[in-house]
Amino acid sequence: MGKFIVLLGPPGAGKGTQAERIAEELSIPHVSSGDLFRENLGNETELGKKAKGFMDSGKLVPDEITISMVAERLSRTDCKDGALLDGFPRTPFQAQELDAILKKNGNVICCVPYIMVSDQDLLERLTGRWTCKAAGHIYHQTFNPPKDSGICDIDGSALYQRDDDKKETIEKRLAVFHEQTAPLIEYYREKDLLVEVDGTQPIEKVTEAILKSVQSKK
Ligand code: AP5
Ligand code: MG
């Protein structure tokens, strides 16, 4: 059976930062719905055009677009032995759909680390975030600065600030998290998959805690 892990947490909790590290450590692909949408935006696909307005206003992209996009990604051969999901599912309906998608191949979710950070800290993290154009590597102007300002340490590409990292949009995204995504905390706790992780620790400590939580649910 494959190793499917869902990283849960509010916008800015560090899902992308941690996913990069955990996916490498566990040799499973990082599947981020937000990154898939941003790739489509960059390539100006039909899907990207449909998603843009929702993303720019901090709302969820409708389920019929989101679920089929993630299902297609999970159907590729690199996900046959597992995947680290980041940003999906985001509603109880998406969670049920994910269970159904995995079940088709006899798979289930093995662990749901929930990265906890207060709204006040999240605002500071998101307004100071810089993301690399080429591959989405993540930096913070104070907490995790690149060696050369404006340039990705890993691939040398330019860093940019995401369109949805403006204060008003961040506030909307946080409200959407509390209303629509927070019910997943209880959903996964009831299934005995949830492990709470203190997301205010330094990046390496959070990685250690997530890896420990995955071990604990083996
Ligand atoms: P998405 O891209 O998923 O964004 P998000 O959930 O809002 O989360 P972020 O990517 O903003 O934060 P993160 O947790 O990855 O934090 P990061 O590691 O970057 O979604 C964007 C949009 O797409 C949505 O609003 C929606 O429109 C749409 N969408 C996506 N999925 C969808 C779905 N399933 N259904 C419907 N619509 C969907 O870290 C943040 C900052 O903090 C960085 O600067 C980082 O360097 C810093 N940092 C990280 N860890 C630490 C630490 N331990 N200490 C100090 N600083 C830290
Ligand atoms: Mg992210």
Side-chain angles (χ1 to χ4, degrees):
M1 192 183 286
K3 194 176 247 332
F4 291 87
I5 300 165
V6 169
L7 264 192
L8 196 60
K15 300 183 296 297
T17 301
Q18 294 301 328
E20 228 175 82
R21 304 163 64 97
I22 305 283
E24 194 182 328
E25 183 70 31
L26 300 178
S27 303
I28 50 175
H30 170 201
V31 174
S32 157
S33 44
D35 286 354
L36 291 172
F37 282 130
R38 280 182 288 279
E39 255 173 60
N40 276 280
L41 286 183
N43 296 333
E44 295 181 14
T45 66
E46 274 311 305
L47 191 153
K49 283 178 201 157
K50 283 187 196 154
K52 186 173 174 15
F54 296 100
M55 294 177 77
D56 285 350
S57 57
K59 294 183 187 146
L60 295 186
V61 178
D63 280 341
E64 62 270 24
I65 304 175
T66 307
I67 293 168
S68 54
M69 176 183 76
V70 175
E72 189 281 322
R73 179 66 189 87
L74 289 174
S75 72
R76 295 192 215 160
T77 47
D78 64 334
C79 293
K80 130 178 117 22
D81 296 325
L84 181 59
L85 285 140
D86 153 12
F88 184 92
R90 248 177 161 89
T91 61
F93 180 71
Q94 289 185 6
Q96 285 161 12
E97 291 293 305
L98 175 62
D99 289 342
I101 293 166
L102 295 180
K103 201 173 167 192
K104 278 188 197 149
N105 294 316
N107 287 313
V108 290
I109 296 164
C110 60
C111 181
V112 181
Y114 167 40
I115 310 177
M116 300 187 300
V117 178
S118 74
D119 281 10
Q120 185 51 45
D121 287 352
L122 294 171
L123 192 66
E124 197 182 354
R125 286 189 183 187
L126 292 174
T127 49
R129 169 167 59 187
W130 289 86
T131 305
C132 114
K133 272 244 181 297
H137 297 118
I138 302 161
Y139 299 88
H140 189 281
Q141 58 197 25
T142 317
F143 306 136
N144 183 24
K147 287 195 194 82
D148 297 315
S149 151
I151 298 168
C152 178
D153 292 352
I154 299 165
D155 54 36
S157 77
L159 302 181
Y160 75 103
Q161 287 194 292
R162 273 170 45 179
D163 283 344
D164 58 350
D165 280 348
K166 299 185 182 77
K167 189 166 179 285
E168 315 75 64
T169 319
I170 294 169
E171 281 164 356
K172 175 69 187 166
R173 287 160 59 204
L174 292 175
V176 166
F177 173 81
H178 291 299
E179 282 159 26
Q180 302 191 51
T181 307
L184 288 182
I185 299 165
E186 288 315 313
Y187 179 89
Y188 287 122
R189 204 195 303 277
E190 277 167 21
K191 290 179 182 280
D192 196 25
L193 293 172
L194 195 87
V195 183
E196 293 181 350
V197 171
D198 175 5
T200 62
Q201 308 172 87
I203 291 171
E204 311 75 64
K205 293 276 174 212
V206 179
T207 308
E208 277 172 31
I210 294 174
L211 286 171
K212 225 187 234 171
S213 76
V214 174
Q215 288 291 337
S216 76
K217 293 291 177 190
K218 247 186 181 167

mmCIF file of all heavy atoms in Angstrom, residues 52-85:
data_model
loop_
_atom_site.group_PDB
_atom_site.id
_atom_site.type_symbol
_atom_site.label_atom_id
_atom_site.label_comp_id
_atom_site.label_asym_id
_atom_site.label_seq_id
_atom_site.Cartn_x
_atom_site.Cartn_y
_atom_site.Cartn_z
ATOM 1 N N LYS A 52 -8.063 31.867 -11.962
ATOM 2 C CA LYS A 52 -7.404 33.133 -11.601
ATOM 3 C C LYS A 52 -8.246 34.041 -10.686
ATOM 4 O O LYS A 52 -7.790 34.496 -9.648
ATOM 5 C CB LYS A 52 -6.977 33.889 -12.865
ATOM 6 C CG LYS A 52 -6.158 35.125 -12.537
ATOM 7 C CD LYS A 52 -5.612 35.759 -13.782
ATOM 8 C CE LYS A 52 -4.903 37.091 -13.571
ATOM 9 N NZ LYS A 52 -4.516 37.495 -12.249
ATOM 10 N N GLY A 53 -9.490 34.292 -11.093
ATOM 11 C CA GLY A 53 -10.341 35.223 -10.339
ATOM 12 C C GLY A 53 -10.547 34.757 -8.904
ATOM 13 O O GLY A 53 -10.515 35.565 -7.964
ATOM 14 N N PHE A 54 -10.748 33.449 -8.738
ATOM 15 C CA PHE A 54 -10.967 32.909 -7.392
ATOM 16 C C PHE A 54 -9.704 33.078 -6.556
ATOM 17 O O PHE A 54 -9.750 33.508 -5.405
ATOM 18 C CB PHE A 54 -11.340 31.420 -7.467
ATOM 19 C CG PHE A 54 -12.642 31.173 -8.174
ATOM 20 C CD1 PHE A 54 -12.673 30.769 -9.495
ATOM 21 C CD2 PHE A 54 -13.844 31.384 -7.507
ATOM 22 C CE1 PHE A 54 -13.874 30.558 -10.151
ATOM 23 C CE2 PHE A 54 -15.058 31.166 -8.159
ATOM 24 C CZ PHE A 54 -15.067 30.751 -9.481
ATOM 25 N N MET A 55 -8.566 32.745 -7.142
ATOM 26 C CA MET A 55 -7.304 32.825 -6.396
ATOM 27 C C MET A 55 -6.984 34.263 -6.015
ATOM 28 O O MET A 55 -6.604 34.550 -4.885
ATOM 29 C CB MET A 55 -6.167 32.231 -7.223
ATOM 30 C CG MET A 55 -6.341 30.745 -7.443
ATOM 31 S SD MET A 55 -5.075 30.059 -8.483
ATOM 32 C CE MET A 55 -3.698 29.963 -7.346
ATOM 33 N N ASP A 56 -7.152 35.176 -6.973
ATOM 34 C CA ASP A 56 -6.826 36.583 -6.705
ATOM 35 C C ASP A 56 -7.697 37.174 -5.606
ATOM 36 O O ASP A 56 -7.295 38.108 -4.918
ATOM 37 C CB ASP A 56 -6.961 37.430 -7.978
ATOM 38 C CG ASP A 56 -5.797 37.178 -8.926
ATOM 39 O OD1 ASP A 56 -4.835 36.505 -8.505
ATOM 40 O OD2 ASP A 56 -5.854 37.641 -10.082
ATOM 41 N N SER A 57 -8.931 36.637 -5.456
ATOM 42 C CA SER A 57 -9.789 37.194 -4.405
ATOM 43 C C SER A 57 -9.710 36.363 -3.121
ATOM 44 O O SER A 57 -10.439 36.626 -2.172
ATOM 45 C CB SER A 57 -11.225 37.312 -4.907
ATOM 46 O OG SER A 57 -11.680 36.050 -5.319
ATOM 47 N N GLY A 58 -8.865 35.319 -3.105
ATOM 48 C CA GLY A 58 -8.659 34.543 -1.881
ATOM 49 C C GLY A 58 -9.728 33.491 -1.631
ATOM 50 O O GLY A 58 -9.794 32.904 -0.558
ATOM 51 N N LYS A 59 -10.586 33.262 -2.664
ATOM 52 C CA LYS A 59 -11.641 32.250 -2.495
ATOM 53 C C LYS A 59 -11.161 30.894 -2.991
ATOM 54 O O LYS A 59 -10.185 30.815 -3.747
ATOM 55 C CB LYS A 59 -12.871 32.641 -3.327
ATOM 56 C CG LYS A 59 -13.544 33.892 -2.845
ATOM 57 C CD LYS A 59 -14.785 34.148 -3.695
ATOM 58 C CE LYS A 59 -15.398 35.486 -3.358
ATOM 59 N NZ LYS A 59 -16.000 36.107 -4.541
ATOM 60 N N LEU A 60 -11.897 29.834 -2.635
ATOM 61 C CA LEU A 60 -11.561 28.514 -3.156
ATOM 62 C C LEU A 60 -11.995 28.411 -4.615
ATOM 63 O O LEU A 60 -13.047 28.925 -4.998
ATOM 64 C CB LEU A 60 -12.265 27.415 -2.356
ATOM 65 C CG LEU A 60 -11.852 27.258 -0.891
ATOM 66 C CD1 LEU A 60 -12.525 26.030 -0.289
ATOM 67 C CD2 LEU A 60 -10.343 27.168 -0.733
ATOM 68 N N VAL A 61 -11.194 27.740 -5.409
ATOM 69 C CA VAL A 61 -11.563 27.437 -6.795
ATOM 70 C C VAL A 61 -12.646 26.345 -6.720
ATOM 71 O O VAL A 61 -12.556 25.451 -5.876
ATOM 72 C CB VAL A 61 -10.318 26.945 -7.576
ATOM 73 C CG1 VAL A 61 -10.690 26.578 -9.004
ATOM 74 C CG2 VAL A 61 -9.213 28.001 -7.544
ATOM 75 N N PRO A 62 -13.688 26.410 -7.588
ATOM 76 C CA PRO A 62 -14.769 25.419 -7.476
ATOM 77 C C PRO A 62 -14.279 23.971 -7.573
ATOM 78 O O PRO A 62 -13.309 23.674 -8.276
ATOM 79 C CB PRO A 62 -15.680 25.770 -8.661
ATOM 80 C CG PRO A 62 -15.409 27.215 -8.941
ATOM 81 C CD PRO A 62 -13.960 27.427 -8.603
ATOM 82 N N ASP A 63 -15.024 23.105 -6.865
ATOM 83 C CA ASP A 63 -14.650 21.690 -6.763
ATOM 84 C C ASP A 63 -14.498 20.990 -8.109
ATOM 85 O O ASP A 63 -13.615 20.153 -8.265
ATOM 86 C CB ASP A 63 -15.723 20.941 -5.946
ATOM 87 C CG ASP A 63 -15.541 21.154 -4.455
ATOM 88 O OD1 ASP A 63 -14.428 21.555 -4.041
ATOM 89 O OD2 ASP A 63 -16.504 20.928 -3.710
ATOM 90 N N GLU A 64 -15.375 21.293 -9.074
ATOM 91 C CA GLU A 64 -15.321 20.513 -10.332
ATOM 92 C C GLU A 64 -13.998 20.742 -11.062
ATOM 93 O O GLU A 64 -13.506 19.859 -11.755
ATOM 94 C CB GLU A 64 -16.532 20.776 -11.242
ATOM 95 C CG GLU A 64 -16.704 22.183 -11.743
ATOM 96 C CD GLU A 64 -17.565 23.034 -10.811
ATOM 97 O OE1 GLU A 64 -17.658 22.708 -9.609
ATOM 98 O OE2 GLU A 64 -18.119 24.057 -11.283
ATOM 99 N N ILE A 65 -13.403 21.926 -10.869
ATOM 100 C CA ILE A 65 -12.102 22.193 -11.495
ATOM 101 C C ILE A 65 -10.998 21.551 -10.651
ATOM 102 O O ILE A 65 -10.115 20.859 -11.150
ATOM 103 C CB ILE A 65 -11.847 23.726 -11.581
ATOM 104 C CG1 ILE A 65 -12.986 24.423 -12.326
ATOM 105 C CG2 ILE A 65 -10.486 24.022 -12.201
ATOM 106 C CD1 ILE A 65 -12.872 25.945 -12.345
ATOM 107 N N THR A 66 -11.069 21.777 -9.348
ATOM 108 C CA THR A 66 -9.978 21.379 -8.451
ATOM 109 C C THR A 66 -9.828 19.859 -8.344
ATOM 110 O O THR A 66 -8.723 19.321 -8.461
ATOM 111 C CB THR A 66 -10.247 21.960 -7.044
ATOM 112 O OG1 THR A 66 -10.469 23.359 -7.166
ATOM 113 C CG2 THR A 66 -9.089 21.696 -6.110
ATOM 114 N N ILE A 67 -10.943 19.173 -8.131
ATOM 115 C CA ILE A 67 -10.859 17.732 -7.860
ATOM 116 C C ILE A 67 -10.340 16.977 -9.091
ATOM 117 O O ILE A 67 -9.473 16.110 -8.974
ATOM 118 C CB ILE A 67 -12.228 17.200 -7.380
ATOM 119 C CG1 ILE A 67 -12.543 17.808 -6.009
ATOM 120 C CG2 ILE A 67 -12.222 15.670 -7.292
ATOM 121 C CD1 ILE A 67 -13.969 17.623 -5.531
ATOM 122 N N SER A 68 -10.823 17.349 -10.292
ATOM 123 C CA SER A 68 -10.343 16.609 -11.477
ATOM 124 C C SER A 68 -8.869 16.902 -11.736
ATOM 125 O O SER A 68 -8.114 16.034 -12.170
ATOM 126 C CB SER A 68 -11.198 16.918 -12.710
ATOM 127 O OG SER A 68 -11.250 18.300 -12.913
ATOM 128 N N MET A 69 -8.428 18.135 -11.434
ATOM 129 C CA MET A 69 -7.005 18.474 -11.629
ATOM 130 C C MET A 69 -6.119 17.609 -10.704
ATOM 131 O O MET A 69 -5.114 17.045 -11.149
ATOM 132 C CB MET A 69 -6.795 19.965 -11.329
ATOM 133 C CG MET A 69 -5.347 20.406 -11.393
ATOM 134 S SD MET A 69 -5.147 22.146 -10.942
ATOM 135 C CE MET A 69 -5.323 22.058 -9.152
ATOM 136 N N VAL A 70 -6.513 17.488 -9.436
ATOM 137 C CA VAL A 70 -5.703 16.705 -8.495
ATOM 138 C C VAL A 70 -5.802 15.215 -8.816
ATOM 139 O O VAL A 70 -4.800 14.486 -8.753
ATOM 140 C CB VAL A 70 -6.127 17.000 -7.031
ATOM 141 C CG1 VAL A 70 -5.370 16.106 -6.059
ATOM 142 C CG2 VAL A 70 -5.891 18.466 -6.689
ATOM 143 N N ALA A 71 -6.996 14.760 -9.201
ATOM 144 C CA ALA A 71 -7.165 13.333 -9.538
ATOM 145 C C ALA A 71 -6.248 12.966 -10.701
ATOM 146 O O ALA A 71 -5.602 11.911 -10.685
ATOM 147 C CB ALA A 71 -8.622 13.046 -9.899
ATOM 148 N N GLU A 72 -6.163 13.858 -11.690
ATOM 149 C CA GLU A 72 -5.290 13.589 -12.844
ATOM 150 C C GLU A 72 -3.832 13.497 -12.382
ATOM 151 O O GLU A 72 -3.102 12.594 -12.771
ATOM 152 C CB GLU A 72 -5.470 14.707 -13.884
ATOM 153 C CG GLU A 72 -4.782 14.446 -15.228
ATOM 154 C CD GLU A 72 -3.280 14.711 -15.224
ATOM 155 O OE1 GLU A 72 -2.818 15.681 -14.578
ATOM 156 O OE2 GLU A 72 -2.565 13.923 -15.874
ATOM 157 N N ARG A 73 -3.426 14.407 -11.501
ATOM 158 C CA ARG A 73 -2.038 14.394 -11.009
ATOM 159 C C ARG A 73 -1.735 13.092 -10.253
ATOM 160 O O ARG A 73 -0.684 12.490 -10.421
ATOM 161 C CB ARG A 73 -1.799 15.619 -10.110
ATOM 162 C CG ARG A 73 -0.397 15.701 -9.512
ATOM 163 C CD ARG A 73 0.663 15.913 -10.574
ATOM 164 N NE ARG A 73 2.021 15.781 -10.061
ATOM 165 C CZ ARG A 73 2.689 14.629 -9.970
ATOM 166 N NH1 ARG A 73 2.128 13.499 -10.360
ATOM 167 N NH2 ARG A 73 3.927 14.607 -9.512
ATOM 168 N N LEU A 74 -2.707 12.659 -9.433
ATOM 169 C CA LEU A 74 -2.485 11.449 -8.625
ATOM 170 C C LEU A 74 -2.518 10.175 -9.465
ATOM 171 O O LEU A 74 -2.047 9.130 -9.030
ATOM 172 C CB LEU A 74 -3.539 11.357 -7.508
ATOM 173 C CG LEU A 74 -3.390 12.366 -6.371
ATOM 174 C CD1 LEU A 74 -4.577 12.262 -5.410
ATOM 175 C CD2 LEU A 74 -2.078 12.159 -5.606
ATOM 176 N N SER A 75 -3.085 10.281 -10.692
ATOM 177 C CA SER A 75 -3.166 9.082 -11.541
ATOM 178 C C SER A 75 -1.839 8.815 -12.263
ATOM 179 O O SER A 75 -1.663 7.771 -12.875
ATOM 180 C CB SER A 75 -4.288 9.244 -12.577
ATOM 181 O OG SER A 75 -3.885 10.196 -13.557
ATOM 182 N N ARG A 76 -0.892 9.764 -12.192
ATOM 183 C CA ARG A 76 0.390 9.547 -12.883
ATOM 184 C C ARG A 76 1.238 8.514 -12.124
ATOM 185 O O ARG A 76 1.105 8.375 -10.904
ATOM 186 C CB ARG A 76 1.144 10.873 -13.029
ATOM 187 C CG ARG A 76 0.372 11.832 -13.938
ATOM 188 C CD ARG A 76 1.219 13.012 -14.318
ATOM 189 N NE ARG A 76 0.392 14.203 -14.426
ATOM 190 C CZ ARG A 76 0.837 15.451 -14.365
ATOM 191 N NH1 ARG A 76 2.130 15.685 -14.202
ATOM 192 N NH2 ARG A 76 0.004 16.458 -14.474
ATOM 193 N N THR A 77 2.114 7.847 -12.857
ATOM 194 C CA THR A 77 2.820 6.704 -12.263
ATOM 195 C C THR A 77 3.699 7.087 -11.075
ATOM 196 O O THR A 77 3.915 6.276 -10.184
ATOM 197 C CB THR A 77 3.708 5.987 -13.302
ATOM 198 O OG1 THR A 77 4.444 6.981 -13.998
ATOM 199 C CG2 THR A 77 2.886 5.178 -14.272
ATOM 200 N N ASP A 78 4.212 8.322 -11.040
ATOM 201 C CA ASP A 78 5.094 8.673 -9.914
ATOM 202 C C ASP A 78 4.347 8.680 -8.583
ATOM 203 O O ASP A 78 4.972 8.640 -7.522
ATOM 204 C CB ASP A 78 5.818 10.011 -10.160
ATOM 205 C CG ASP A 78 4.878 11.187 -10.242
ATOM 206 O OD1 ASP A 78 3.693 11.001 -10.595
ATOM 207 O OD2 ASP A 78 5.310 12.315 -9.948
ATOM 208 N N CYS A 79 3.007 8.711 -8.614
ATOM 209 C CA CYS A 79 2.228 8.718 -7.369
ATOM 210 C C CYS A 79 1.742 7.321 -6.972
ATOM 211 O O CYS A 79 0.975 7.183 -6.022
ATOM 212 C CB CYS A 79 1.015 9.636 -7.495
ATOM 213 S SG CYS A 79 1.438 11.365 -7.658
ATOM 214 N N LYS A 80 2.230 6.313 -7.697
ATOM 215 C CA LYS A 80 1.679 4.974 -7.445
ATOM 216 C C LYS A 80 2.034 4.477 -6.033
ATOM 217 O O LYS A 80 1.245 3.791 -5.411
ATOM 218 C CB LYS A 80 2.136 4.081 -8.604
ATOM 219 C CG LYS A 80 2.762 2.776 -8.322
ATOM 220 C CD LYS A 80 3.083 2.065 -9.625
ATOM 221 C CE LYS A 80 4.539 1.815 -9.876
ATOM 222 N NZ LYS A 80 5.482 1.791 -8.812
ATOM 223 N N ASP A 81 3.207 4.896 -5.505
ATOM 224 C CA ASP A 81 3.601 4.424 -4.169
ATOM 225 C C ASP A 81 3.376 5.460 -3.076
ATOM 226 O O ASP A 81 3.856 5.294 -1.952
ATOM 227 C CB ASP A 81 5.076 4.006 -4.168
ATOM 228 C CG ASP A 81 5.299 2.821 -5.083
ATOM 229 O OD1 ASP A 81 4.401 1.968 -5.159
ATOM 230 O OD2 ASP A 81 6.349 2.766 -5.747
ATOM 231 N N GLY A 82 2.703 6.535 -3.407
ATOM 232 C CA GLY A 82 2.409 7.523 -2.381
ATOM 233 C C GLY A 82 2.592 8.945 -2.885
ATOM 234 O O GLY A 82 3.093 9.173 -3.992
ATOM 235 N N ALA A 83 2.160 9.893 -2.063
ATOM 236 C CA ALA A 83 2.314 11.314 -2.394
ATOM 237 C C ALA A 83 2.115 12.132 -1.125
ATOM 238 O O ALA A 83 1.454 11.681 -0.186
ATOM 239 C CB ALA A 83 1.294 11.736 -3.442
ATOM 240 N N LEU A 84 2.707 13.317 -1.143
ATOM 241 C CA LEU A 84 2.517 14.251 -0.038
ATOM 242 C C LEU A 84 1.610 15.360 -0.559
ATOM 243 O O LEU A 84 2.000 16.141 -1.428
ATOM 244 C CB LEU A 84 3.877 14.825 0.368
ATOM 245 C CG LEU A 84 3.857 15.797 1.525
ATOM 246 C CD1 LEU A 84 3.282 15.144 2.767
ATOM 247 C CD2 LEU A 84 5.268 16.271 1.822
ATOM 248 N N LEU A 85 0.376 15.379 -0.062
ATOM 249 C CA LEU A 85 -0.601 16.357 -0.549
ATOM 250 C C LEU A 85 -0.516 17.646 0.260
ATOM 251 O O LEU A 85 -0.491 17.606 1.496
ATOM 252 C CB LEU A 85 -2.002 15.760 -0.468
ATOM 253 C CG LEU A 85 -2.247 14.731 -1.563
ATOM 254 C CD1 LEU A 85 -3.019 13.532 -1.047
ATOM 255 C CD2 LEU A 85 -2.973 15.390 -2.726
#
